[in-house]
């Protein structure tokens, strides 16, 4: 996720990428984009929770329309048509040290592997950095040490919104994150040794034309990798109502991402904002898509869809403020709600590989939230991590 007011460096870096004269990637657009459509602005501003405000300029082109579909009933033992969750309290908070005076922990990626939970996240001091922590039980999460990845070859500079997975064909762990130059990645052979992550490499040589044509005043953010048997796909968002998808072969990964298309769009950019996840549902020919939205109350929440393939078509599952995937109105808390925002996170995966396969039974979702009364500069908002546990699993 990109902060609302501290986006100067990212915007500048994105502008440089967008301004490159040539691209080595072939790009294509869906029918709507080919017809010259573009997302238009909403009548409201994108308000961050009691903090800064994202302001967007008007768009003059014909609005793109997103898919209009009816929710389909769940299959036995599959995903429900609506979700209910219970939330933990704050599990992971900043751990400042002499060189990292962190005020926030956010954008988590999580797997359970080798008897431990491995969590990667963004932190903020006077810029964005990545951190890693691990523990065997959630009761240990608050006391587990934080390892800052700027002490590895990942280095300093803008690094945020990580995704971790094991790419089985190469026997390597991948960490995907945003740097302002499109999606970047690092690798290691041992997830337990945070100092061994490699220097960043970029997925793209320049911003694909279809993104340049549709990003407007948004930002190219939140890169997500998922693979089937033949291809790997890289999703990204633009904070402007578009979800993009590029592809390459499993054999060529992480190189060769091309054929960039708009996988989904919404004329209200706040309903399809950022932080997408795509998962394979174990035992079924089904994928789950989750995307963060900003509600009419200015609070963050998640919408969801399903499809028979990574390429769609996507059918609404729980995709509204009244029937969300996860929002304050379908989450119970152990005491007073410590957050009204259910924001950027991930399903806890026990299969860490590139297929992003999850069991549909009793999901756990690690997310970022913050004190409902917090305000001021978005970068200084006190984001913390909590865990959702599904309470209405049909499994």
């Amino acid at each position: 996720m990109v902060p609302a007011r501290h986006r100067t460096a990212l915007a500048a870096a994105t502008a440089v990428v967008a301004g490159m004269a040539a691209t080595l990637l072939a790009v294509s657009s869906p029918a709507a984009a080919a017809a010259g459509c573009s997302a238009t602005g909403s009548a409201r501003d994108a308000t961050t929770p009691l903090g800064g405000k994202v302001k967007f300029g008007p768009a003059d082109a014909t609005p793109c329309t997103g898919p209009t579909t009816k929710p389909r009933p769940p299959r036995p033992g599959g995903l429900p048509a609506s979700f209910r969750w219970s939330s933990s309290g704050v599990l992971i908070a900043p751990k400042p040290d002499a060189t990292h005076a962190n005020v926030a922990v956010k954008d988590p990626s999580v797997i359970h592997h080798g008897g431990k939970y491995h969590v990667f996240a963004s932190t903020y001091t006077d810029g964005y950095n990545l951190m890693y922590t691990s523990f065997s039980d959630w009761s240990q999460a608050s006391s587990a040490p934080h390892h800052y990845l700027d002490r590895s070859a990942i280095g300093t500079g803008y690094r945020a919104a990580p995704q971790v997975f094991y790419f089985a064909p190469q026997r390597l762990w991948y960490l995907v994150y945003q740097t302002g130059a499109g999606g970047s990645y690092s690798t290691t052979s041992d997830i337990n040794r945070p100092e061994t992550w490699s220097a960043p490499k970029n997925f793209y040589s320049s911003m694909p034309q279809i993104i340049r044509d549709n990003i407007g005043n948004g930002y190219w953010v939140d890169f997500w990798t998922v693979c089937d048997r033949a291809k790997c796909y890289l999703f990204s968002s633009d904070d402007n109502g578009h979800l993009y998808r590029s592809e390459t072969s499993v054999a060529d990964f992480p190189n060769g991402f091309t054929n960039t298309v708009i996988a989904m769009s919404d004329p209200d950019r706040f309903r399809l904002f950022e932080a997408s996840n795509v998962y394979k549902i174990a035992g079924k020919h089904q994928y789950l898509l989750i995307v963060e939205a900003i509600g009419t109350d200015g609070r963050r929440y998640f919408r969801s869809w399903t499809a028979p393939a990574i390429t769609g078509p996507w059918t609404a599952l729980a995709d509204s403020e009244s029937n969300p995937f996860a929002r304050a109105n379908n989450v119970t808390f152990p005491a007073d709600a410590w957050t009204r925002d259910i924001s950027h996170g991930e399903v806890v995966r026990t299969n860490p590989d590139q297929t992003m396969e999850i069991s549909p039974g009793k999901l756990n979702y690690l997310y970022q939230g913050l004190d409902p009364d917090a305000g001021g500069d978005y970068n200084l908002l006190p984001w913390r991590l909590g865990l959702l546990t599904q309470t209405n699993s049909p499994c």
Side-chain angles (χ1 to χ4, degrees):
M1 177 185 298
V2 174
R5 295 182 59 192
H6 185 72
R7 299 193 177 187
T8 304
L10 178 56
T14 302
V16 170
V17 174
M20 296 172 112
T23 178
L24 299 178
L25 304 174
V27 298
S28 63
S29 64
C37 70
S38 176
T40 60
S42 169
R44 65 183 188 271
D45 288 333
T47 306
T48 60
L50 299 178
K53 182 174 288 186
V54 187
K55 294 184 178 179
F56 299 93
D60 299 324
T62 304
C64 295
T65 56
T68 302
T69 53
K70 297 180 180 179
R72 64 183 178 185
R75 297 179 182 177
L79 295 167
S82 62
F83 292 83
R84 297 291 180 268
W85 308 88
S86 64
S87 177
S88 70
V90 174
L91 294 179
I92 300 177
K95 288 185 180 296
D97 65 15
T99 57
H100 302 86
N102 296 322
V103 297
V105 178
K106 54 192 298 188
D107 313 328
S109 182
V110 56
I111 61 165
H112 189 266
H113 174 73
K116 295 195 298 185
Y117 293 97
H118 301 265
V119 177
F120 295 80
S122 307
T123 65
Y124 183 80
T125 304
D126 54 2
Y128 280 85
N129 187 17
L130 301 175
M131 78 84 168
Y132 163 75
T133 188
S134 64
F135 42 86
S136 59
D137 187 84
W138 288 106
S139 63
Q140 303 167 348
S142 62
S143 59
H146 292 185
H147 303 274
Y148 297 104
L149 299 189
D150 59 1
R151 292 169 175 160
S152 72
I154 288 176
T156 58
Y158 185 90
R159 282 95 169 93
Q163 180 206 13
V164 67
F165 62 93
Y166 182 69
F167 191 64
Q170 297 174 2
R171 298 183 180 180
L172 283 175
W173 293 95
Y174 273 76
L175 192 65
V176 175
Y177 47 95
Q178 63 194 45
T179 59
S184 301
Y185 66 90
S186 297
T187 63
T188 184
S189 59
D190 189 350
I191 195 173
N192 296 288
R193 298 178 60 203
E195 73 277 7
T196 63
W197 287 102
S198 65
K201 293 185 178 179
N202 298 331
F203 285 113
Y204 301 91
S205 61
S206 63
M207 182 183 287
Q209 186 64 48
I210 193 171
I211 300 179
R212 282 189 249 178
D213 291 344
N214 289 277
I215 194 170
N217 293 323
Y219 300 87
W220 193 21
V221 298
D222 294 342
F223 297 84
W224 179 269
T225 307
V226 58
C227 307
D228 57 25
R229 291 183 178 181
K231 292 183 177 182
C232 291
Y233 301 86
L234 188 59
F235 287 81
S236 58
S237 299
D238 66 3
D239 289 356
N240 195 33
H242 304 96
L243 178 66
Y244 301 99
R245 187 189 70 240
S246 302
E247 65 182 53
T248 190
S249 67
V250 169
D252 287 339
F253 180 85
N255 302 308
F257 274 103
T258 187
N259 191 29
T260 304
V261 299
I262 297 175
M264 184 178 288
S265 65
D266 196 301
D268 182 346
R269 68 191 69 194
F270 311 116
R271 283 171 45 83
L272 198 73
F273 203 63
E274 58 191 11
S276 68
N277 306 157
V278 180
Y279 300 104
K280 170 72 173 64
I281 301 302
K284 297 182 181 295
H285 298 292
Q286 186 181 52
Y287 286 84
L288 171 67
L289 167 65
I290 305 166
V291 180
E292 183 174 337
I294 299 177
T296 53
D297 58 357
R299 301 293 185 178
R300 306 285 180 128
Y301 75 101
F302 284 97
R303 304 172 65 206
S304 61
W305 300 260
T306 60
I310 298 173
T311 54
W314 295 103
T315 300
L317 180 61
D319 75 330
S320 66
E321 292 188 48
S322 60
N323 182 32
F325 176 78
R327 188 172 179 261
N329 61 342
N330 69 343
V331 176
T332 59
F333 293 85
D336 292 338
W338 64 271
T339 179
R340 299 299 294 170
D341 293 273
I342 309 297
S343 184
H344 196 133
E346 276 194 23
V347 171
V348 179
R349 289 173 278 135
T350 56
N351 177 358
D353 75 18
Q354 72 279 355
T355 62
M356 299 297 145
E357 184 176 86
I358 60 172
S359 169
K362 200 169 184 180
L363 299 174
N364 290 115
Y365 197 86
L366 185 64
Y367 73 99
Q368 68 178 38
L370 80 164
D371 185 334
D373 294 326
D377 188 329
Y378 186 95
N379 301 302
L380 302 179
L381 290 176
W383 293 102
R384 305 291 188 262
L385 304 186
L387 185 69
L388 299 178
T389 298
Q390 188 185 356
T391 59
N392 69 327
S393 170
C395 298

